[in-house]
Amino acid sequence: MYTFPTDYKPLLTVKQTEHAIVLIKDFFQLALSTELNLTRVTAPLFVSAGTGINDDLNGVERPVSFPVKALNDTPLEIVQSLAKWKRLKITELGLKPGFGIYADMNAIRPDETLDALHSLYVDQWDWELAITPADRTVTFLRTVVKKIYRCIKRTEFYLYDRYPMIVPVLPEDITFVHAEDLQNEYPDATPKERETYAAQKYGAVFIIGIGGTLADGTIHDGRAPDYDDWITQTEDGHRGLNGDIIVWNDVIKAPFELSSMGIRVSPESLSAQLAERACTERSTLPFHSRLLNGELTQTAGGGIGQSRLCMYFLRKAHIGETQVSVWPEEEQQACRRAGIALL
């Protein structure tokens, strides 16, 4: 639950905000594609149900589905992200290691909790990079994270150069912390409290090992078992080749996730993760079968929230100030009382 800041006054008008959103999106996607050697591809809005292609996020969220009259009422699903679709696309294109794709992804997540940071509507840059088996290391993961963080830093200065009231606050470098180390440091805290302590301390942090079982049998946060690798033993003695980029948001006084990403599962780690999550029946789905048979390119990838990034850069108190969505009446009333203009 997020509390709106007291005496909140937006730095930009609604019209200025709309203009700034365009600037941010245009600049950031060019920086990202250049930094990671990504080619833009057109993203699907829906995929076939029952193929295993759609992302089920934490493994429990229900996608929006609908029958198609022209296809004999065959059900299709609105995407929740493109985590698995992108890997199929990389394989289809035959991209060499070191090159990849990105897509301007729009999704609907009907089971999302609606608050200042979460919306039914999700817009993000979904990116995927072809890698080699030798790249399946935490060292390679950190290298990619640093490249993405450089894009975030450059965008922050680009915006400040045009809107001097938006003063840069991000640290020069991002700090890497494993979820297991955070648990050891704050054993009595919840995962969200640990994120708060880390984000406040470092300003920008990449928490490694999201979804994998920690020493006490818990997980830091949920992650589906069939795209990110959170089970592989790494060269630094931990488990997990994925994580989240989190910054400290001083407007709402809370940790603020900008990106979820990781090295994708290999046939071996997919098999192990399906077993650990007790969902081995997925192995017969078309996507999973191809992956287990070694037919898919090895990749790393993730998503970077567009509205989230805009909300952070523009010092907004609610994600509804940088995107159009639907909110409960009580949320709308609370925003009006707080001086928050929802788009």
PDB file of all heavy atoms in Angstrom, residues 97-108:
ATOM      1  N   PRO A  97      24.782 -14.476 -31.443  1.00  0.00           N
ATOM      2  CA  PRO A  97      25.018 -13.963 -30.090  1.00  0.00           C
ATOM      3  C   PRO A  97      25.532 -12.523 -30.114  1.00  0.00           C
ATOM      4  O   PRO A  97      26.355 -12.167 -30.955  1.00  0.00           O
ATOM      5  CB  PRO A  97      26.074 -14.925 -29.534  1.00  0.00           C
ATOM      6  CG  PRO A  97      25.826 -16.202 -30.269  1.00  0.00           C
ATOM      7  CD  PRO A  97      25.439 -15.789 -31.663  1.00  0.00           C
ATOM      8  N   GLY A  98      25.012 -11.715 -29.197  1.00  0.00           N
ATOM      9  CA  GLY A  98      25.391 -10.310 -29.139  1.00  0.00           C
ATOM     10  C   GLY A  98      24.418  -9.393 -29.844  1.00  0.00           C
ATOM     11  O   GLY A  98      24.560  -8.176 -29.786  1.00  0.00           O
ATOM     12  N   PHE A  99      23.417  -9.978 -30.507  1.00  0.00           N
ATOM     13  CA  PHE A  99      22.393  -9.183 -31.195  1.00  0.00           C
ATOM     14  C   PHE A  99      21.015  -9.632 -30.716  1.00  0.00           C
ATOM     15  O   PHE A  99      20.827 -10.780 -30.311  1.00  0.00           O
ATOM     16  CB  PHE A  99      22.511  -9.340 -32.713  1.00  0.00           C
ATOM     17  CG  PHE A  99      23.805  -8.838 -33.266  1.00  0.00           C
ATOM     18  CD1 PHE A  99      24.910  -9.678 -33.361  1.00  0.00           C
ATOM     19  CD2 PHE A  99      23.938  -7.508 -33.662  1.00  0.00           C
ATOM     20  CE1 PHE A  99      26.113  -9.214 -33.865  1.00  0.00           C
ATOM     21  CE2 PHE A  99      25.137  -7.035 -34.163  1.00  0.00           C
ATOM     22  CZ  PHE A  99      26.236  -7.883 -34.261  1.00  0.00           C
ATOM     23  N   GLY A 100      20.064  -8.700 -30.791  1.00  0.00           N
ATOM     24  CA  GLY A 100      18.744  -9.053 -30.287  1.00  0.00           C
ATOM     25  C   GLY A 100      17.642  -8.181 -30.843  1.00  0.00           C
ATOM     26  O   GLY A 100      17.814  -7.486 -31.858  1.00  0.00           O
ATOM     27  N   ILE A 101      16.513  -8.204 -30.150  1.00  0.00           N
ATOM     28  CA  ILE A 101      15.312  -7.490 -30.585  1.00  0.00           C
ATOM     29  C   ILE A 101      14.702  -6.755 -29.398  1.00  0.00           C
ATOM     30  O   ILE A 101      14.956  -7.075 -28.238  1.00  0.00           O
ATOM     31  CB  ILE A 101      14.257  -8.457 -31.169  1.00  0.00           C
ATOM     32  CG1 ILE A 101      13.859  -9.506 -30.124  1.00  0.00           C
ATOM     33  CG2 ILE A 101      14.772  -9.119 -32.438  1.00  0.00           C
ATOM     34  CD1 ILE A 101      12.726 -10.427 -30.550  1.00  0.00           C
ATOM     35  N   TYR A 102      13.881  -5.749 -29.723  1.00  0.00           N
ATOM     36  CA  TYR A 102      13.037  -5.141 -28.688  1.00  0.00           C
ATOM     37  C   TYR A 102      11.697  -4.819 -29.325  1.00  0.00           C
ATOM     38  O   TYR A 102      11.596  -4.642 -30.547  1.00  0.00           O
ATOM     39  CB  TYR A 102      13.676  -3.899 -28.071  1.00  0.00           C
ATOM     40  CG  TYR A 102      13.567  -2.633 -28.881  1.00  0.00           C
ATOM     41  CD1 TYR A 102      12.553  -1.701 -28.639  1.00  0.00           C
ATOM     42  CD2 TYR A 102      14.489  -2.349 -29.889  1.00  0.00           C
ATOM     43  CE1 TYR A 102      12.462  -0.539 -29.382  1.00  0.00           C
ATOM     44  CE2 TYR A 102      14.404  -1.189 -30.634  1.00  0.00           C
ATOM     45  CZ  TYR A 102      13.383  -0.279 -30.368  1.00  0.00           C
ATOM     46  OH  TYR A 102      13.289   0.881 -31.117  1.00  0.00           O
ATOM     47  N   ALA A 103      10.679  -4.780 -28.487  1.00  0.00           N
ATOM     48  CA  ALA A 103       9.328  -4.516 -28.968  1.00  0.00           C
ATOM     49  C   ALA A 103       8.636  -3.538 -28.027  1.00  0.00           C
ATOM     50  O   ALA A 103       8.898  -3.517 -26.817  1.00  0.00           O
ATOM     51  CB  ALA A 103       8.529  -5.813 -29.055  1.00  0.00           C
ATOM     52  N   ASP A 104       7.762  -2.743 -28.602  1.00  0.00           N
ATOM     53  CA  ASP A 104       6.926  -1.823 -27.833  1.00  0.00           C
ATOM     54  C   ASP A 104       5.684  -2.613 -27.431  1.00  0.00           C
ATOM     55  O   ASP A 104       4.749  -2.761 -28.202  1.00  0.00           O
ATOM     56  CB  ASP A 104       6.563  -0.626 -28.720  1.00  0.00           C
ATOM     57  CG  ASP A 104       5.972   0.518 -27.936  1.00  0.00           C
ATOM     58  OD1 ASP A 104       5.804   0.384 -26.715  1.00  0.00           O
ATOM     59  OD2 ASP A 104       5.663   1.546 -28.556  1.00  0.00           O
ATOM     60  N   MET A 105       5.692  -3.153 -26.210  1.00  0.00           N
ATOM     61  CA  MET A 105       4.690  -4.113 -25.785  1.00  0.00           C
ATOM     62  C   MET A 105       3.570  -3.454 -24.973  1.00  0.00           C
ATOM     63  O   MET A 105       3.820  -2.651 -24.083  1.00  0.00           O
ATOM     64  CB  MET A 105       5.359  -5.193 -24.934  1.00  0.00           C
ATOM     65  CG  MET A 105       4.520  -6.421 -24.647  1.00  0.00           C
ATOM     66  SD  MET A 105       3.336  -6.249 -23.286  1.00  0.00           S
ATOM     67  CE  MET A 105       4.397  -5.835 -21.914  1.00  0.00           C
ATOM     68  N   ASN A 106       2.328  -3.806 -25.320  1.00  0.00           N
ATOM     69  CA  ASN A 106       1.161  -3.372 -24.550  1.00  0.00           C
ATOM     70  C   ASN A 106       0.438  -4.612 -24.057  1.00  0.00           C
ATOM     71  O   ASN A 106       0.203  -5.548 -24.834  1.00  0.00           O
ATOM     72  CB  ASN A 106       0.224  -2.536 -25.418  1.00  0.00           C
ATOM     73  CG  ASN A 106       0.882  -1.255 -25.886  1.00  0.00           C
ATOM     74  OD1 ASN A 106       1.121  -0.358 -25.106  1.00  0.00           O
ATOM     75  ND2 ASN A 106       1.212  -1.193 -27.171  1.00  0.00           N
ATOM     76  N   ALA A 107       0.088  -4.623 -22.780  1.00  0.00           N
ATOM     77  CA  ALA A 107      -0.525  -5.803 -22.190  1.00  0.00           C
ATOM     78  C   ALA A 107      -1.663  -5.408 -21.259  1.00  0.00           C
ATOM     79  O   ALA A 107      -1.785  -4.242 -20.852  1.00  0.00           O
ATOM     80  CB  ALA A 107       0.521  -6.611 -21.414  1.00  0.00           C
ATOM     81  N   ILE A 108      -2.482  -6.397 -20.928  1.00  0.00           N
ATOM     82  CA  ILE A 108      -3.535  -6.226 -19.930  1.00  0.00           C
ATOM     83  C   ILE A 108      -3.336  -7.295 -18.868  1.00  0.00           C
ATOM     84  O   ILE A 108      -3.192  -8.483 -19.188  1.00  0.00           O
ATOM     85  CB  ILE A 108      -4.941  -6.368 -20.555  1.00  0.00           C
ATOM     86  CG1 ILE A 108      -5.157  -5.308 -21.636  1.00  0.00           C
ATOM     87  CG2 ILE A 108      -6.022  -6.254 -19.479  1.00  0.00           C
ATOM     88  CD1 ILE A 108      -6.462  -5.476 -22.393  1.00  0.00           C
TER      89      ILE A 108
END
